[in-house]
């Protein structure tokens, strides 16, 4: 999921368990820390926190390190770092700081510590990466100087340089984000009516591997297609798989990571894919007892196949749910408006956020 705090760059070396100059102690999170972390994280992301559902699985992932910052023994901040891309990249996610400690520089100190920890443990790592749903603004440019800007096709690239450490930052504007909310009980009949009216969908639904003519990929087929040149070079943005805010290069080791997750993989054609998509299984979020959250990442520029896959994911993952469903759809900027119209006019989904963009940010470690 997204990082709410500003990007921080590496600092002078610090030891894994030593106190920093700010009086913080750093430790690795364990299953026993769950209650303290949840208490510290209350109301984060506006009540849409994913961590309560995923914390236990994080503890089992061998490529992930979850670092806690403690003050006088109390947990006040958390950051997760994952080594991906065959050991060349560290993915930063999950940053959170206790409300009483925000605005005091805790996030920066923790991120700096994590950078040094990764440098010491994985000297082959070259790049740190994260995602944001905004563009670098005035506060960022107090630290970074823009040295070039260009827009190849629909992908915008900024390159910034920190004037103190001379560490290059690259930002790639990715997809437009549509965010909506609807009751699952209301959405299902609307999806069915749309199915009945549409001339696109003429075959009956299958209970196994096909929804509205959209192939649902088995793991082996997903691996083959998402490593194929047709998908890598012709469908994926900047040759990157983005799944639920996490950017991965299309490499066998990364597919091993992704295929262990509760994610559906779809394409419009197993022979010559033009559009592909990934969808998380719905998971409960703290905003309410009956609220579920899911993300749909759509790759490709053709509206028809993208529309069908979004609808197929919604049909599959909201059937049987009761309560509110929060959904984020990530797609090409040119597709945002017609998909927004689909949600508003045909599915009557409440928009909870205006047009925003997802950016992948990289820094030399």
């Amino acid at each position: 999921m997204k990082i709410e705090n500003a990007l921080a760059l590496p600092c002078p070396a610090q030891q894994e368990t030593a106190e920093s100059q700010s009086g913080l102690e750093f430790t690795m999170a364990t299953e026993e820390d769950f209650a303290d972390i949840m208490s510290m994280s209350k109301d984060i992301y506006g009540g849409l926190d994913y961590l309560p559902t995923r914390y236990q699985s994080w503890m089992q992932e061998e490529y992930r390190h979850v670092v806690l910052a403690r003050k006088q023994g109390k947990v006040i901040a958390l950051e997760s770092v994952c080594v991906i891309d065959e050991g060349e990249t560290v993915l930063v996610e999950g940053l959170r700081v206790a409300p009483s400690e925000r605005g005091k520089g805790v996030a920066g100190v923790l991120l700096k510590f994590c950078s040094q920890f990764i440098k010491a443990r994985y000297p082959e790592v070259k790049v740190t990466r994260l995602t944001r749903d905004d563009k670098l603004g005035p506060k960022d440019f107090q630290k970074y100087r823009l040295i070039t800007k260009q827009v190849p096709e629909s992908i915008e690239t900024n390159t910034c340089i920190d004037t103190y450490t001379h560490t290059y930052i690259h930002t790639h504007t990715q997809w437009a984000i549509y965010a909506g909310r609807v009751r699952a009980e209301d959405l299902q009949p609307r999806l069915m009516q749309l199915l009945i009216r549409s001339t696109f969908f003429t075959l009956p639904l299958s209970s196994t591997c096909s929804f509205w003519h959209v192939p649902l990929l088995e793991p082996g087929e997903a691996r083959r297609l998402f490593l194929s040149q047709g998908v890598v070079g012709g469908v994926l943005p900047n040759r990157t798989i983005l799944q639920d805010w996490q950017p991965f290069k299309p490499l066998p080791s990364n597919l091993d990571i992704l295929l262990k997750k509760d994610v559906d993989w779809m394409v419009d054609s197993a022979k010559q894919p033009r559009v592909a998509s990934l969808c998380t299984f719905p998971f409960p979020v703290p905003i309410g007892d009956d609220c579920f959250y899911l993300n749909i990442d759509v790759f490709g520029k053709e509206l028809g196949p993208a529309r069908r896959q979004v609808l197929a994911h919604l049909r599959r993952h909201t059937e049987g749910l009761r309560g509110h469903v929060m959904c984020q759809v990530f797609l090409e900027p040119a597709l945002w408006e017609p998909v927004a119209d689909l949600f508003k006019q045909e599915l009557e989904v409440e928009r909870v956020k205006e047009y925003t963009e997802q950016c992948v940010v990289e820094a030399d470690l």
Side-chain angles (χ1 to χ4, degrees):
M1 305 287 282
K2 71 178 181 179
I3 301 298
E4 293 285 347
N5 302 72
L7 181 69
L9 295 173
C11 68
Q14 296 169 313
Q15 296 299 316
E16 180 175 348
T17 59
E19 286 195 356
S20 74
Q21 60 184 4
S22 63
L24 300 181
E25 180 185 4
F26 301 99
T27 62
M28 293 299 152
T30 67
E31 293 183 2
E32 287 72 28
D33 293 312
F34 179 76
D36 289 339
I37 292 168
M38 292 302 100
S39 177
M40 178 265 294
S41 304
K42 187 177 181 181
D43 297 328
I44 197 167
Y45 305 140
L48 298 177
D49 191 7
Y50 59 93
L51 194 53
T53 300
R54 299 184 185 174
Y55 185 79
Q56 296 304 320
S57 65
W58 275 19
M59 294 294 98
Q60 307 304 316
E61 294 174 0
E62 60 183 25
Y63 60 91
R64 184 186 300 275
H65 302 278
V66 182
V67 182
L68 302 179
R70 297 177 183 271
K71 189 173 184 180
Q72 298 178 348
K74 183 179 179 180
V75 176
I76 63 165
L78 173 148
E79 179 63 291
S80 168
V81 287
C82 310
V83 178
I84 60 171
D85 295 348
E86 297 183 347
E88 293 188 352
T89 303
V90 59
L91 178 62
V92 178
E93 61 178 336
L95 180 62
R96 60 204 53 220
V97 177
S100 62
E101 300 295 330
R102 292 172 191 168
K104 300 179 181 180
V106 172
V109 174
L110 176 56
L111 283 166
K112 291 173 184 178
F113 171 82
C114 289
S115 294
Q116 292 305 313
F117 168 76
I118 291 295
K119 280 184 177 181
R121 183 70 64 90
Y122 303 97
E124 68 277 14
V125 171
K126 302 175 182 178
V127 170
T128 182
R129 185 182 302 153
L130 55 83
T131 52
R132 296 173 57 160
D133 67 347
D134 59 356
K135 294 182 180 180
L136 296 177
K139 290 184 179 180
D140 298 291
F141 290 120
Q142 291 176 8
K143 297 181 179 180
Y144 313 121
R145 178 169 58 88
L146 182 64
I147 61 175
T148 184
K149 181 177 181 180
Q150 56 184 348
V151 186
E153 298 180 347
S154 64
I155 305 299
E156 177 183 339
T157 302
N158 301 329
T159 304
C160 310
I161 183 170
D162 183 275
T163 56
Y164 297 102
T165 64
H166 303 290
T167 301
Y168 284 91
I169 309 299
H170 308 279
T171 69
H172 307 281
T173 299
Q174 166 42 25
W175 294 142
I177 306 172
Y178 179 87
R181 175 174 55 205
V182 67
R183 289 195 68 85
E185 301 94 322
D186 298 332
L187 181 62
Q188 280 298 316
R190 294 168 192 163
L191 286 167
M192 185 57 66
Q193 286 297 317
L194 186 59
L195 168 62
I196 294 171
R197 294 196 310 266
S198 177
T199 59
F200 289 112
F201 311 128
T202 58
L203 295 181
L205 293 175
S206 163
S207 60
T208 55
C209 64
S210 179
F211 299 86
W212 292 355
H213 288 292
V214 183
L216 182 61
L217 300 177
E218 296 293 333
E221 190 72 350
R223 173 185 290 275
R224 181 185 72 81
L225 285 170
F226 277 77
L227 294 177
S228 69
Q229 185 55 42
V231 171
V232 173
V235 178
L236 297 179
N238 277 2
R239 305 173 73 90
T240 302
I241 301 173
L242 283 117
Q243 191 277 315
D244 193 15
W245 295 92
Q246 296 181 318
F248 296 87
K249 292 181 180 179
L251 299 171
S253 60
N254 287 338
L255 267 293
D256 290 341
I257 294 171
L258 288 166
L259 288 169
K260 292 178 181 177
K261 298 185 177 187
D262 289 332
V263 175
D264 274 347
W265 302 65
M266 288 186 181
V267 294
D268 62 319
S269 167
K271 293 183 178 180
Q272 292 183 318
R274 298 166 297 164
V275 172
S277 60
L278 305 177
C279 181
T280 62
F281 282 42
F283 56 90
V285 287
I287 197 171
D289 294 335
D290 63 345
C291 189
F292 297 85
Y293 192 29
L294 61 86
N295 285 327
I296 303 173
D297 293 280
V298 182
F299 313 118
K301 302 179 180 181
E302 297 193 27
L303 177 59
R307 183 177 184 270
R308 287 194 287 274
Q309 290 185 41
V310 168
L311 293 171
H313 285 304
L314 288 174
R315 170 71 175 172
R316 169 169 164 76
H317 287 295
T318 62
E319 189 172 22
L321 286 182
R322 294 293 181 269
H324 286 94
V325 175
M326 300 288 295
C327 178
Q328 287 191 112
V329 182
F330 304 83
L331 68 169
E332 280 276 355
L335 301 183
W336 189 90
E337 187 170 347
V339 170
D341 286 342
L342 167 68
F343 274 82
K344 180 180 179 180
Q345 302 297 336
E346 300 188 68
L347 298 178
E348 301 179 40
V349 173
E350 176 191 2
R351 186 188 303 174
V352 296
K353 201 173 187 179
E354 292 303 318
Y355 179 90
T356 53
E357 292 181 339
Q358 181 188 53
C359 300
V360 179
V361 183
E362 291 186 350
D364 295 336
L365 190 64

